[in-house]
């Protein structure tokens, strides 16, 4: 048995005996929050913590609805080596004047929230109030896309990455890198500066495929797009090479150097993340910006589906999964959530959920998924719009009303960020297949624009009222409800 799972098992046994005998050891749920860049992780966590601390009305979160959540507070987070999630800073942005969305984060961070609650169980209530730690871990979904790298070597990765870069949609983005590649000899003696140049050109290509408005391309390595503290280290300085007969290349060749750096990336970046962070999570929410993919058209939807398949592979357990040879994941519940549902009128919320369910179903079939229980929902962590009606050509249309962010445009109109507008977003089609195939609403194509966060409401007692949301309570109930029984 690998050391990591042994220590886990021992930890669990200790925890439950301790709980039972003394009630002194507080149970902990490690909740992973992930999703691709800009999917809404930071906003979700900030809203989750604020809702719980401020005692928001959350009808579908049973413990809160039954008045059993007695006190919620932040505590120092237990992992010294993981940066703390900057809750106060993100909240300050959201309740600022004017309110702003928090900045992009791009690295792992963690926060410990403690809940004191009354149990529903008679014998447990006799010990007084119960406590539960929720350790919330925010990490980029792109990192999950690195798992398959553990299964392959530099040669195979190189070949696949080159093939992908030659597909028609990526030719333009990969041009400069390919030009440089054509001039080098992979068998020549290794040259650190050349390795850096090639790696930089390769990273620029990855960034460009990602920046394409009509694609959600997420090609590994995950850390190349958001390197954090490791920028410039050898483990992050490699790129695919085009070679034949690489078996005959000397150990001093550029090829061999790239190979070593690729292996270093797996050993020092990918494995530690999966072993030290991912494998310790108990519950997971994966946030998915389905509307952005629909906005991007068919190729973006295909990209998203591919990314979801790879992400679900990480949660798959059983004999054939990558895990069986590595570490055993313990996640037993996953929520897949389509975020930003406030960009739609409520009539379309169920449809958004159906579209995500369809996508998830296909991805799960492809990943031969088996493992933790998966629940799909559509939600908005913070609702930036309200609903209204507008009249157009004698017809009453259901609208959403909000402050479009400065620079957003609809039909050649550019917004300045300070005015409220009613927008008719269109309805999602009733048939999820139609939506995924690239579709038109009854009133033409649907385009989503971004809104500024809602105006914060100060409370007489200090602080701010909980943010309005959509179906947020259902996500919380699924993720931690059973832990508060
Ligand atoms: N209307 C609306 N917009 C949202 C919501 N959640 C996120 N957004 C928008 O999505 C953007 C990204 O949200 P973040 O929470 O920063 O996303 P993230 O996944 O942490 O992004 P990175 O840190 O860059 O990976 C925000 O700036 C908002 O514009 C929501 O509930 N409603
Ligand atoms: Mg973030």
């Amino acid at each position: 048995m690998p050391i990591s799972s042994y220590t886990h098992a021992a930890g669990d046994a200790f925890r439950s005996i301790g709980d039972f005998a003394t009630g002194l050891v507080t149970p902990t749920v490690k909740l992973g929050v992930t999703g691709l860049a800009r999917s809404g992780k930071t906003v979700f966590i900030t809203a989750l913590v604020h809702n719980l601390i401020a005692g928001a009305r959350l009808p579908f979160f049973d413990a809160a609805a039954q008045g059993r959540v007695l006190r919620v507070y932040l505590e120092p987070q237990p992992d010294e080596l993981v940066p703390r999630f900057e809750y106060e800073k993100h909240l300050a942005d959201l309740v600022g004047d004017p309110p702003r969305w928090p900045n992009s984060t791009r690295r792992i961070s963690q926060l410990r929230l403690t809940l004191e609650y009354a149990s529903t169980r008679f014998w447990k209530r006799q010990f007084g109030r119960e406590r539960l730690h929720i350790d919330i871990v925010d990490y980029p979904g792109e990192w999950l896309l690195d798992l398959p790298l553990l299964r392959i070597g530099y040669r195979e990765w190189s070949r696949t990455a080159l093939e992908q870069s030659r597909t028609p949609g990526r030719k333009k983005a990969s041009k400069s890198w390919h030009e440089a590649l054509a001039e080098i000899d992979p068998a020549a003696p290794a040259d650190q500066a050349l390795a850096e140049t090639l790696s930089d050109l390769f990273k620029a290509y990855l960034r460009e495929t990602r920046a394409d408005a009509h694609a959600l391309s997420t090609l590994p390595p995950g850390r190349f797009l958001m390197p954090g503290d490791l920028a410039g280290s050898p483990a992050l300085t490699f790129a695919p090479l085009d070679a034949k007969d690489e078996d005959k290349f000397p150990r001093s060749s550029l090829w061999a150097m790239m190979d070593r750096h690729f292996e270093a990336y797996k050993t020092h970046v990918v494995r530690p993340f999966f072993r030290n962070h991912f494998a310790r999570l108990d519950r997971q929410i994966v946030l998915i910006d389905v509307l952005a993919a629909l906005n991007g058209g068919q190729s973006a939807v295909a990209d998203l589906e591919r990314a979801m398949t790879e992400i679900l592979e990480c949660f798959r357990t059983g004999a054939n999964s990558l895990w069986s040879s590595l570490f055993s994941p313990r996640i037993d519940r996953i929520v897949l959530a389509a975020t930003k549902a406030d960009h739609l009128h409520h009539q379309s919320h169920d449809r958004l959920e159906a579209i995500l369910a369809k996508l998830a179903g296909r991805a799960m079939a492809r990943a031969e998924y088996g493992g933790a229980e998966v629940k799909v929902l559509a939600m908005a962590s913070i609702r930036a719009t309200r609903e209204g009606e507008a009249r157009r050509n004698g017809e009453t249309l259901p609208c959403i009303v909000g402050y479009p962010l400065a620079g957003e445009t609809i039909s050649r109109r550019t917004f300045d960020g300070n005015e409220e507008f009613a927008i008719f977003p269109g309805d999602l089609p009733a048939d999820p297949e139609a939506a995924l195939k690239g579709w038109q609403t009854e009133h033409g194509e649907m385009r989503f624009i971004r809104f500024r966060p809602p105006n914060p409401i100060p409370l007489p007692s200090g602080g701010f009222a909980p943010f309005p949301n959509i179906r947020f309570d259902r996500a919380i109930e699924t993720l931690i409800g059973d832990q508060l029984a």
Side-chain angles (χ1 to χ4, degrees), residues 34-44 101-107 138 140 142 226 287 289 339-343 379-385 405 449-452:
T34 198
L36 299 176
R38 314 310 290 146
S39 55
K41 303 178 286 292
T42 305
V43 171
F44 173 82
W101 296 108
N103 286 334
S104 186
T105 45
R106 309 276 154 114
R107 58 170 191 180
D138 172 357
E142 283 78 1
M226 35 197 94
L287 303 176
D289 196 342
T339 48
K340 313 178 194 178
D342 56 326
H343 287 131
M379 63 166 207
S381 315
I382 295 186
R383 180 174 196 157
T385 63
L405 284 181
I449 55 163
R450 293 180 309 144
F451 295 91
R452 155 188 127 175

Side-chain angles (χ1 to χ4, degrees), residues 9-85:
D12 283 347
F14 171 73
R15 225 186 254 163
S16 44
I17 293 167
D19 266 356
F20 183 75
T22 64
L24 286 178
V25 180
T26 302
T28 303
V29 182
K30 256 189 190 279
L31 169 63
V33 179
T34 198
L36 299 176
R38 314 310 290 146
S39 55
K41 303 178 286 292
T42 305
V43 171
F44 173 82
I45 297 173
T46 310
L48 171 64
V49 174
H50 189 250
N51 272 325
L52 291 178
I53 291 182
R57 223 182 63 81
L58 299 164
F60 281 89
F61 176 36
D62 289 348
Q66 294 160 2
R68 293 191 290 108
V69 178
L70 306 172
R71 198 172 149 232
V72 182
Y73 47 94
L74 292 170
E75 281 199 271
Q77 64 115 332
D79 290 296
E80 278 99 4
L81 293 177
V82 183
R84 182 173 178 273
F85 178 86

